[in-house]
Amino acid sequence: MRILLIGEFSRLHNSLKEGLVALGHEVTLVSAGDDFKGFPSDFSIAPVACRGSRILSFLGKILRKGTGYDLEAWEKGVRFRRLLPTLKGYDVVQLINSDALETLPFLSKRLYRALFSQNGKRFLLVCGDETPVVDYWLSHPDFFSPFTAYLRNRDYRNYFRYTLKYASPPYRSLYEYVASKCEGILSSDLDYHLPLNRSGIANTFVPNPVNTDLIPFSPPLLSDKIVIFHGVNRYTAIKKGSRFFDEALAEIESRYGERVSVVRTDSLPYSEFDRLRKQAHILLDQVYGVDQGYNALEAMARGQVVFTCAGEAFRSHYGLNEEVAVEAQPDVTYLVERLSQFIEHPETIVETGKRARAFIEKEHHYKLIAQRYLDVWNKS
């Protein structure tokens, strides 16, 4: 089967591609690389001209600030348009989001129309912010989600501009167009699957694929210091509740001193982020949500202890009786208490890491997940 994957925001499509190729399929990935993260693609639509030219970069900032016009978004659309003649004859096209091209909504529609006309089945993957999901979060503030910080403090509006755009008329129209043209909708984790289900939108839940061949079970050896890693993304720090981790870490450093080593990074490229992450015994991911994202899953695969979204809904869905990840909560006292338990009883780090790895191999193995995608695509 020939498969075309459009868009990348977390390494999901890269991992899926690796699973599909391992199963004998031909896969092409097109994306902008997700900004500073720099995820690889077979064909890139990253705005190299706008970022490589001081004049264009300056002009783009002026236009964005004065008119809201995004020159980089326009360049992404232009670069994809140039690729269209080569993106033909695929059996399946999957978009990672209705805004997978990250260009202007009206231009996305035109480009999708041309893309869909020269290929086979089309599918939409909901693995992040999307119009019906944002609608549900807005109308159900009691649902613990990546949107909770905004609903509790509307002063955070600027930090949620990216999320809120999906509720605007242009992006709502784009989603409706894409949904109407696709044979099916898939969701990658419970944060999106549950809102879609409760909104009456049919979708197939397929967990995130994790390439366990590229990530061997290799937890850092226990030594005099417990290394705690907190990788911050400037764009999502509020959304993930990073401040709770920062406050907890300040207390932990004060309490344990030389017994811990805290590594905090800010918006690193993925390769550098992953290099530093490998050294940690404990990784702090996020407090708002229901299910794990990619950073958490990859750390769990390595055998690290991860503080992330692992509450009752997650445990119930997977039928878990033992802790494979620590349920993070927006409560500094609680976070300090849970971190202290691992620091004072380091043998529990090893035990939790082993359970985490076993969980990833059972529920997220990239070849098994790739086969589940194939099953969905073939049945539709």
Side-chain angles (χ1 to χ4, degrees):
M1 184 182 289
R2 298 186 72 226
I3 300 156
L4 177 61
L5 304 176
I6 305 292
E8 180 64 291
F9 292 125
S10 62
R11 206 186 183 283
L12 193 164
H13 262 174
N14 272 274
S15 298
L16 176 58
K17 175 186 173 180
E18 290 156 3
L20 293 167
V21 170
L23 295 179
H25 300 276
E26 178 187 339
V27 186
T28 301
L29 172 57
V30 180
S31 84
D34 198 16
D35 196 39
F36 65 84
K37 296 177 186 175
F39 292 115
S41 302
D42 297 303
F43 296 103
S44 174
I45 57 171
V48 291
C50 287
R51 294 176 183 175
S53 165
R54 291 183 178 180
I55 295 175
L56 286 176
S57 179
F58 177 74
L59 177 60
K61 291 178 181 177
I62 296 297
L63 285 172
R64 192 179 302 114
K65 187 174 182 179
T67 66
Y69 184 83
D70 192 335
L71 198 59
E72 289 190 2
W74 180 263
E75 184 185 347
K76 291 174 187 176
V78 170
R79 295 195 68 191
F80 186 81
R81 174 65 185 85
R82 292 171 181 169
L83 288 174
L84 271 174
T86 67
L87 303 178
K88 291 182 178 180
Y90 288 92
D91 301 297
V92 169
V93 175
Q94 178 166 282
L95 308 180
I96 204 164
N97 183 271
S98 60
D99 186 34
L101 301 180
E102 302 176 60
T103 190
L104 309 176
F106 81 90
L107 183 55
S108 285
K109 286 183 184 179
R110 294 181 184 179
L111 295 171
Y112 288 150
R113 188 175 296 114
L115 178 69
F116 293 162
S117 70
Q118 61 194 31
N119 291 289
K121 296 179 179 180
R122 291 90 59 184
F123 295 86
L124 172 64
L125 174 59
V126 178
C127 59
D129 299 338
E130 190 61 273
T131 297
V133 174
V134 174
D135 284 345
Y136 184 86
W137 289 344
L138 282 168
S139 60
H140 295 80
D142 57 324
F143 183 80
F144 207 53
S145 76
F147 211 48
T148 297
Y150 169 73
L151 295 173
R152 291 180 176 179
N153 187 348
R154 300 300 175 111
D155 290 340
Y156 286 149
R157 185 177 182 85
N158 281 342
Y159 294 101
F160 286 83
R161 284 179 298 176
Y162 179 87
T163 300
L164 288 167
K165 78 177 186 181
Y166 288 96
S168 69
Y171 285 91
R172 183 177 300 280
S173 176
L174 176 61
Y175 164 77
E176 291 172 350
Y177 172 79
V178 170
S180 71
K181 298 298 181 181
C182 286
E183 272 86 355
I185 295 176
L186 300 94
S187 55
S188 66
D189 59 59
L190 299 174
D191 291 295
Y192 316 112
H193 175 64
L194 294 177
L196 290 173
N197 268 7
R198 294 173 185 179
S199 300
I201 298 173
N203 70 103
T204 303
F205 175 65
V206 182
N208 287 304
V210 177
N211 190 334
T212 50
D213 293 337
L214 290 181
I215 308 176
F217 178 69
S218 56
L221 297 176
L222 295 175
S223 60
D224 294 336
K225 290 189 177 184
I226 301 299
V227 180
I228 305 172
F229 181 81
H230 185 204
V232 178
N233 179 335
R234 71 175 70 98
Y235 301 116
T236 60
I238 299 295
K239 188 176 182 180
K240 292 190 173 186
S242 295
R243 73 175 181 88
F244 296 101
F245 289 136
D246 284 335
E247 292 178 27
L249 287 174
E251 174 63 25
I252 288 293
E253 287 186 293
S254 173
R255 180 181 299 186
Y256 291 101
E258 292 300 313
R259 291 178 62 183
V260 298
S261 174
V262 173
V263 179
R264 188 186 190 279
T265 65
D266 186 359
S267 303
L268 293 178
Y270 176 79
S271 58
E272 179 66 7
F273 171 89
D274 190 49
R275 183 185 70 81
L276 294 172
R277 177 176 58 175
K278 289 177 182 177
Q279 305 168 18
H281 298 94
I282 300 172
L283 179 136
L284 307 182
D285 181 43
Q286 63 187 63
V287 303
Y288 293 125
V290 180
D291 208 341
Q292 295 90 55
Y294 243 81
N295 292 338
L297 294 174
E298 289 183 336
M300 290 168 66
R302 191 169 283 116
Q304 295 165 309
V305 172
V306 181
F307 281 61
T308 187
C309 305
E312 176 57 33
F314 162 74
R315 297 190 298 269
S316 175
H317 177 83
Y318 286 104
L320 297 172
N321 296 316
E322 293 185 289
E323 191 171 68
V324 299
V326 179
E327 178 187 1
Q329 298 178 8
D331 181 328
V332 174
T333 301
Y334 164 83
L335 294 173
V336 170
E337 179 184 345
R338 290 308 315 270
L339 284 167
S340 297
Q341 290 171 358
F342 287 106
I343 295 167
E344 294 173 5
H345 303 281
E347 69 279 2
T348 60
I349 293 176
V350 177
E351 296 165 3
T352 304
K354 289 179 179 178
R355 292 195 298 270
R357 174 68 181 201
F359 170 77
I360 296 299
E361 290 182 345
K362 179 183 177 184
E363 303 292 352
H364 293 275
H365 192 283
Y366 73 120
K367 293 180 186 177
L368 297 177
I369 297 301
Q371 184 58 56
R372 290 178 64 176
Y373 271 91
L374 290 167
D375 292 342
V376 173
W377 295 336
N378 286 324
K379 289 178 181 177
S380 296

